[in-house]
Amino acid sequence: MATIAERLEHVHARIREACHAAGRPPQAVGLLAVSKTFDAHAVLAAAQAGQRAFGENYLQEGVDKIAAVRALAPQLADDLHWHCIGPIQSNKTRLVAEHFDWAHTIDRLKTAERLSAQRPPSLAPLNVCIQVNVDGGATKSGAAPQDALALAQAVARLPRLVLRGVMAIPDPVEGFEAQRALHARVRAVFDAIATSGAPGLAQFDTVSLGMTADLEAAVAAGSTLVRVGSGIFGARPTRAELAG
Ligand SMILES: *Cc1c(COP(=O)(O)O)cnc(C)c1O
């Protein structure tokens, strides 16, 4: 079985090739390692292989893991960045504000206002992305594309947040072209905000898009940050297996 370091190198090779195919420079696309359900030792293995940015979906699991990594390797922990990529309920905003460097899933102003108010003065402003729902109905999380610009303008005004970009989790579709077309809708929302002339967009540079199965299509459509879990850490245990 491949090691985490070997899988990480394979993902980097996929990103390089996808950039080449799309005529984009290889450094145009960053890699977020999605470590949900994997433990602090797995994070350290990836960190020792050079990975610096990690994504977590479940807030309490993420907070516990951040502390565990720090206890195991305090110096290395200083160099790591933690991204919240899961849904943020109103009563959980404090965990994100106090422990994470990024939050990707802002889809309403109220969440952003709470994060800004709760961000500790001792920490740098929290980097945030607007989550956009390009393919779902009203039940799927994310702002509707036509509402994203107004939300971005309001979020960009909050003092303790830095609006960095947009994020989406499109439903899986078959085939490169179909994936790319869906991803291109997310990139179009990013471009519309970036060129809107709204204040507070000096660091608006991130399109968080693409996972293990579809990162090539996301890179072709203009992703700047792919979120890869199983491609680095291996298959995740199912919920039933996790419950033991
Ligand atoms: C789990 C997850 C990922 C990674 O998925 P893989 O298919 O394992 O690469 C990326 N983004 C989000 C929001 C996730 O929940």
Side-chain angles (χ1 to χ4, degrees):
M1 220 171 78
T3 65
I4 286 175
E6 287 164 351
R7 289 202 207 93
L8 194 54
E9 183 42 47
H10 178 66
V11 171
H12 279 297
R14 284 179 63 189
I15 295 171
R16 278 196 303 273
E17 270 177 45
C19 285
H20 181 73
R24 303 178 63 197
Q27 66 275 16
V29 179
L31 173 59
L32 180 65
V34 178
S35 44
K36 65 181 178 203
T37 77
F38 293 96
D39 66 11
H41 294 280
V43 169
L44 281 179
Q48 276 151 4
Q51 181 63 31
R52 291 292 174 267
F54 292 88
E56 291 287 335
N57 284 61
Y58 312 108
L59 295 179
Q60 193 58 53
E61 177 195 334
V63 169
D64 292 346
K65 202 175 301 175
I66 293 167
V69 168
R70 183 163 289 285
L72 287 166
Q75 275 182 323
L76 191 50
D78 279 342
D79 291 338
L80 303 185
H81 306 283
W82 292 91
H83 295 229
C84 170
I85 60 171
I88 306 171
Q89 293 161 318
S90 287
N91 60 346
K92 296 284 173 59
T93 50
R94 188 174 292 281
L95 284 178
V96 178
E98 292 183 348
H99 297 278
F100 285 84
D101 303 292
W102 285 67
H104 289 219
T105 51
I106 307 301
D107 63 0
R108 70 193 75 186
L109 185 57
K110 184 175 162 220
T111 309
E113 287 170 340
R114 291 177 65 96
L115 289 170
S116 183
Q118 292 170 343
R119 184 67 168 172
S122 58
L123 298 180
L126 182 69
N127 298 290
V128 299
C129 294
I130 305 291
Q131 183 176 356
V132 186
N133 172 2
V134 287
D135 58 350
T139 57
K140 188 170 164 173
S141 44
Q146 64 272 22
D147 299 336
L149 177 58
L151 178 58
Q153 287 169 335
V155 169
R157 282 195 286 268
L158 295 170
R160 296 292 293 149
L161 305 184
V162 180
L163 182 61
R164 295 300 302 269
V166 300
M167 175 270 204
I169 316 171
D171 287 339
V173 291
E174 279 297 320
F176 182 87
E177 272 312 318
Q179 290 170 358
R180 197 182 61 149
L182 197 48
H183 287 137
R185 290 196 226 162
V186 184
R187 176 72 201 207
V189 172
F190 172 85
D191 289 338
I193 296 170
T195 57
S196 67
L201 297 180
Q203 295 183 73
F204 192 74
D205 59 4
T206 300
V207 180
S208 165
L209 189 63
M211 315 201 287
T212 299
D214 61 4
L215 76 84
E216 283 83 2
V219 169
S223 168
T224 70
L225 184 64
V226 293
R227 308 180 306 264
V228 176
S230 48
I232 297 171
F233 296 106
R236 278 184 295 277
T238 63
R239 285 189 169 275
E241 282 162 355
L242 280 177

